[in-house]
Amino acid sequence: MGAEVSSVVDLAGDLAGRYRRTESSGGTVDPAVAQADLDAVLRDGYVILADLLTPEELAEIRREVRPLLDRTGRNNFEGHATQRVYSLLNKTRSCDRVVAHPRVLALLDRLLMPNYLLSMIQAINITPGEAAQMLHTDDGFYPLPRPRKALSAATIWAVDDFTAENGATDIVLGSHAWGNRLPADTDERVPVVMPAGSCVFFLGTLWHGGGANHSPAPRLALTAQYCEPWLRPQEAFTLSTPHDIVRAVSEDIRRMLGYSIHPPFIGQVNGMHPKRLLKTDVPEDD
Ligand SMILES: O=C(O)CCC(=O)C(=O)O
């Protein structure tokens, strides 16, 4: 009997000739730190990564993102008193650090397959008077029954301090391990209280939602979400990101935007590596 493989990916390996797989900056994180983060995520479904952004980085995010907050949500999910900015990578470079923070990548490297993708990057500003958002999971739109491994992971970054009053993200403890059950009224919503510059990293299977804002001030956050490389991301970044932006971002972000191959062939362009598009904007034949 032949050796066992978990998928054809193991058989094929990296078939690319010129554009080989690139290493994630998660590799720069102390393995003991990454392991402790991973242990917490696997046990609790989430971990709070405290104080990852400097005051200067936070100030730049506020300066760049606040002027983009020009509309409120269109439905109960987006929130009628919540402002959202999508496609942030096309509008500012200030959020790049959040999208590809090494502590986050180190966790993703351990939870998802290589060449996992960015699924979403948006700003969420919950303004005073907003009601609690409906509880949901971030990988629930992939129609595979639970319980199962998470197909995605998310971060929510506090740009303002997250408090129990101002709309800190609520989570349902232990819900990452549930089967197909839905939250009940008796399931407690626990606010993720954390200082600005911190993020909560959680599995796509964890039930959560934006909190109600009972404070007099808005609560600004960024959320970056990531999915397995064989799934369709929520935002179609390969369609929406101009090539000059793809060239301008870091290799970590470029790879997560879809300029990478899930072996042997997922993500190809005309039978070639998608990075060839960045050289000439026209797929080459060689
Ligand atoms: O803003 C938050 O705290 C959470 C929002 C959220 O989970 C979502 O809109 O998908």
Side-chain angles (χ1 to χ4, degrees):
M1 207 169 103
E4 286 191 17
V5 292
S6 60
S7 83
V8 71
V9 176
D10 299 338
L11 274 181
D14 186 357
L15 297 181
R18 193 174 307 175
Y19 297 101
R20 306 293 295 174
R21 191 176 120 190
T22 58
E23 291 305 321
S24 150
S25 298
T28 62
V29 176
D30 177 347
V33 171
Q35 187 61 47
D37 290 344
L38 180 68
D39 290 345
V41 169
L42 293 178
R43 184 186 62 234
D44 303 329
Y46 75 98
V47 66
I48 296 174
L49 305 175
D51 300 322
L52 295 190
L53 298 179
T54 64
E56 294 72 30
E57 286 168 335
L58 274 173
E60 192 194 357
I61 291 170
R62 293 186 186 117
R63 198 169 52 242
E64 296 259 319
V65 172
R66 282 200 179 125
L68 302 173
L69 297 164
D70 60 356
R71 69 189 70 171
T72 47
R74 298 158 291 186
N75 50 54
N76 286 346
F77 187 86
E78 286 191 329
H80 293 292
T82 296
Q83 299 168 304
R84 290 173 187 259
V85 186
Y86 295 93
S87 219
L88 273 174
L89 292 175
N90 289 347
K91 298 171 182 168
T92 171
R93 293 273 62 75
S94 64
C95 303
D96 288 16
R97 176 83 176 142
V98 157
V99 171
H101 195 287
R103 276 285 282 285
V104 171
L105 298 188
L107 271 170
L108 295 169
D109 294 345
R110 288 161 174 77
L111 288 165
L112 302 176
M113 295 183 83
N115 294 328
Y116 49 80
L117 296 170
L118 184 67
S119 181
M120 167 75 78
I121 168 68
Q122 65 170 297
I124 305 179
N125 194 40
I126 300 183
T127 69
E130 179 63 286
Q133 187 190 31
M134 69 182 76
L135 291 169
H136 58 279
T137 59
D138 286 338
D139 73 1
F141 37 74
Y142 300 120
L144 296 177
R146 294 175 57 146
R148 54 161 168 69
K149 191 177 168 300
L151 305 170
S152 72
T155 54
I156 299 185
W157 291 75
V159 179
D160 297 318
D161 290 341
F162 272 25
T163 70
E165 291 75 40
N166 76 354
T169 309
D170 290 329
I171 59 174
V172 181
L173 298 176
S175 59
H176 63 294
W178 289 359
N180 278 332
R181 70 163 277 208
L182 300 174
D185 289 343
T186 46
D187 289 310
E188 194 188 350
R189 297 176 67 123
V190 177
V192 178
V193 173
M194 58 183 173
S198 309
C199 84
V200 56
F201 179 107
F202 56 92
L203 296 174
T205 45
L206 186 80
W207 287 86
H208 67 281
N213 189 344
H214 300 298
S215 83
R219 183 232 68 177
L220 182 58
L222 298 173
T223 180
Q225 304 181 14
Y226 312 83
C227 66
E228 290 284 11
W230 41 274
L231 287 172
R232 185 174 182 187
Q234 295 171 71
E235 285 194 69
F237 290 117
T238 49
L239 297 177
S240 64
T241 316
H243 288 172
D244 57 344
I245 301 278
V246 179
R247 288 188 194 94
V249 297
S250 68
E251 173 57 20
D252 282 316
I253 296 181
R254 197 160 32 244
R255 188 179 60 243
M256 292 192 291
L257 285 175
Y259 287 78
S260 49
I261 294 281
H262 175 60
F265 308 126
I266 294 181
Q268 60 170 296
V269 174
N270 196 22
M272 309 298 283
H273 198 287
K275 275 189 181 165
R276 288 178 192 256
L277 290 173
L278 302 175
K279 249 177 56 188
T280 60
D281 284 358
V282 174
E284 297 171 13
D285 287 335
D286 66 335

